[in-house]
Structures are given as C-alpha cells and as structure tokens.
Amino acid sequence: MGANMFASVLQVYRGSLSGFQVNALFGPYAVGLIPALLVMAKVSDRLGWRRVLLAALLLSALGSAVILFSGEAFGTILAGRILVGVSAGSAFGPGTAWIKELSDTGKPARTGSGAGARRSAVALTAGFAVGPLLSGVVVQWLPSPQTTAYLVHIALVALTLPVVWRASESAPPAAGPAAGPAAGAGADDGLRRGAGAMSVLTSRLFVTAVLPTAPWVFGAATVSLAALPVLVPLGGYAAVGGGVVAAVTLGSGIAVQPFARRLARRSPAAPFRTGMASVTAGLLAAALTVTTGSLLLLLATAVVLGAAYGILLVSGLQLAESLAGPQTISTVIAAFYSLTYIGFAFPHSSRSWANSGTRHPS
C-alpha cells in the first residue's frame, strides 16, 4: 500500500515540479526495489523472516516520512522513493515465503495445495489496490494531500508492527558458518543452497512457463492503472478516477485467482496460456479504449487486464514455490518478483507516445 499510494499523490507535485522531474520520481523506486529483492531474500534465510519484515516496515515508514518532510524538494523526494523501493524489495520475498510457511502449518482442510501462493498474491494485490484508491480520495477531496496521505501510511505501519512481531515463525533461519559442526560446514551449506536455487531458475518449467510470462504480471496491471488513466480523459476527477481504475484492475486480479487454481488442476500450462490470452485481449481492448475515450470500456479493459495480472501472478508464485525447497524458496520467489517488475517499464512508452507522463506505476 505504501509503495503504490504514490501513483495518485504524484498529482499534487505537478504544480511545483517540472514534467521531467515528475516523470523521474518513479525510477528510484525500481532502482531500490530489485537489488533489495535479490539481496534480502538471502539475508532472511540467515536472520529469519520476522526480523527482515520488521526492518522493511520501519524503512517503509521512514521513506514516507522523508517525502512528508521534503518540502517538495525533488532530491529529497527521490531519496524517499529509494527507501520505499528498498523496503518493498526487502518484504516481498521473505513475506511470501513466510505466508507459505504459515499456510503449510495450518489445518489441511483450510489450506490445501497452493494456499500460500494464493494468500500472498491476494495480500500483495490488495495492498496495491488500496494504495492508489485511498490516496486518490485524499488527493481529490482532503486538505494538504501530500501530508495526509503519508501520515495515513505511517499510522498503518505503526498498527502493523506489533502484529508482525507476534506472528508465528516456526521455520528457523538457516544456520551460518558458526552454527554447524565445523567451520566449513556452513559455507558448504551456503554453496549448496545457492546451487539449488540456480537449478530451479534454470529448470525447464521455470524457463518455459515463468520466464516469458512473469514480466506481463505487472506489464498488464500497469498498462491499465498507469497508462490508461493518462490516455483517457477523466476530467476534474483524475486523482480519484485513477484510483478507481487501479482498484478495479487489482480487484479483478484477486477475484480471478480461484479460477486460476481450477486451471492449474487441468494442466500446469493452462493458467499461463489463459493469462497470456487475457493479456492480448486486454491490450487490444486498451487500444480501442484510447481511440474511443469510453469510460465504460475503460472499466471493462481494467477487468480484463486485471484478470491477466491475477492469473499470471498466482500461477507463477505457485509454480515457483513448488519447484523450490525450504532453503531456496526466498531466493526463487525474489527472482520471480524481479522478473515481474520488468513489466513496470511497459507503460512508459505509452505515456511517451501520448506526450503526457502525469501518472506512474508504483
């Protein structure tokens, strides 16, 4: 939620920053996020998921605080965005692995195969949806939106910290070199864990199913929630209208996940094929939406692209989790998320063609 709320808050900086500066505010988020995804997944294997998630929450609140007190200074906002990106990248891999562990230790009747992947996808998507919708309402109707939006996020972090602190963590962190029977045992174990993750990432299933489809997870979502609200006129309700489009897109991604589970029962390839077919249909609908400027078609397109996002996200997570072992799951999930974030670059070309650039995915 803290990462994606910036999409609507960007509207308030248009009067004080140049168009180039507003465009540049998105980049540092991804710059901080992707390295953190890969590094903190391995760190969490040693320190445990709780410690990494608590640090990520505090860093997320710090990022919002830095932007809050930036005084609309471009360099300070950039620094805050980097902190938010690092916090998100630190949370996604360990958080997903932790949810899987908690799901696997629950009652079988309530969990079942792939429960961890579904819950992770729903949690991630719900936060992404609430962020721009809530901040859009703040920007549209509340005073001092660049202050109020960040205070709301910091307050939510404060409420979340004790919940994470008390959450069960039955899986112990991976042992370091000093914890084994001999000094060299920990290093050898680390090499084996690294080799195990690499074998998953180079496996036939990962290369043929996950690698080509993962970029379209956020590729589909951000075309809908970032590009279309710019290319289709929303009148005087741009902030809240963009938030509604984001909520419809990502809400559709949540609603479609039971359908993705049924597809996976037919064959491992079925959800990936259906997801990419939805991407194709959604992009064609997006082109028609921009041509006609129809608001009804805008919402219909958001549903189709959101469904593509949800199918590919939960299916990719399920396959990644099924291929990875306990000692490699955080790293494999982090690699999957890194591939999905390639899709964040897709809407930028659309905004360039439209000579706009007032909205950015977060």
Side-chain angles (χ1 to χ4, degrees):
M1 181 263 176
N4 219 29
M5 57 179 266
F6 198 72
S8 295
V9 180
L10 268 174
Q11 298 286 338
V12 305
Y13 297 114
R14 295 186 62 192
S16 57
L17 300 177
S18 69
F20 173 80
Q21 289 176 322
V22 173
N23 288 344
L25 285 175
F26 170 70
Y29 170 79
V31 168
L33 184 143
I34 293 178
L37 269 171
L38 300 175
V39 172
M40 295 309 294
K42 295 182 179 179
V43 171
S44 71
D45 286 340
R46 291 189 172 275
L47 299 183
W49 298 318
R50 177 183 288 106
R51 293 181 181 179
V52 172
L53 264 293
L54 289 171
L57 279 167
L58 292 172
L59 195 60
S60 179
L62 177 61
S64 283
V66 168
I67 301 175
L68 172 63
F69 293 106
S70 66
E72 299 185 348
F74 176 68
T76 310
I77 298 174
L78 286 181
R81 287 295 290 161
I82 291 174
L83 290 175
V84 171
V86 173
S87 72
S90 300
F92 289 165
T96 300
W98 196 0
I99 291 175
K100 180 183 186 302
E101 186 263 344
L102 291 172
S103 298
D104 289 346
T105 57
K107 296 179 181 180
R110 296 182 59 189
T111 56
S113 176
R118 293 194 303 275
R119 290 170 177 173
S120 300
V122 168
L124 182 77
T125 304
F128 280 166
V130 169
L133 180 60
L134 180 59
S135 61
V137 171
V138 170
V139 171
Q140 191 74 51
W141 287 301
L142 296 185
S144 303
Q146 65 269 46
T147 299
T148 305
Y150 296 117
L151 287 177
V152 169
H153 174 238
I154 293 170
L156 288 174
V157 170
L159 292 173
T160 304
L161 284 170
V163 178
V164 176
W165 179 266
R166 292 193 299 266
S168 171
E169 186 183 20
S170 61
D188 291 341
D189 185 57
L191 290 174
R192 285 195 295 272
R193 288 199 303 274
M198 186 56 64
S199 66
V200 172
L201 299 179
T202 56
S203 66
R204 182 184 63 83
L205 273 175
F206 194 92
V207 170
T208 58
V210 176
L211 186 62
T213 61
W216 287 104
V217 170
F218 287 125
T222 53
V223 164
S224 178
L225 64 90
L228 290 182
V230 171
L231 302 176
V232 178
L234 298 176
Y237 296 94
V240 70
V244 169
V245 171
V248 170
T249 301
L250 299 168
S252 300
I254 294 176
V256 78
Q257 288 175 22
F259 173 67
R261 182 184 180 186
R262 291 194 294 270
L263 285 175
R265 291 172 182 168
R266 298 179 185 177
S267 75
F272 295 97
R273 292 170 180 165
T274 303
M276 290 308 298
S278 299
V279 169
T280 303
L283 292 178
L284 292 172
L288 184 60
T289 301
V290 174
T291 301
T292 62
S294 169
L295 297 182
L296 289 177
L297 192 54
L298 172 62
L299 292 177
T301 301
V303 170
V304 176
L305 288 174
Y309 158 85
I311 292 172
L312 293 178
L313 175 62
V314 71
S315 301
L317 279 176
Q318 285 179 340
L319 183 57
E321 289 180 358
S322 69
L323 294 174
Q327 300 298 334
T328 62
I329 185 169
S330 293
T331 301
V332 172
I333 289 172
F336 168 72
Y337 277 128
S338 297
L339 290 169
T340 65
Y341 268 84
I342 295 173
F344 269 28
F346 296 172
H348 285 271
S349 58
S350 301
R351 288 193 296 269
S352 298
W353 294 336
N355 293 319
S356 184
T358 57
R359 297 277 295 172
H360 293 265
S362 300

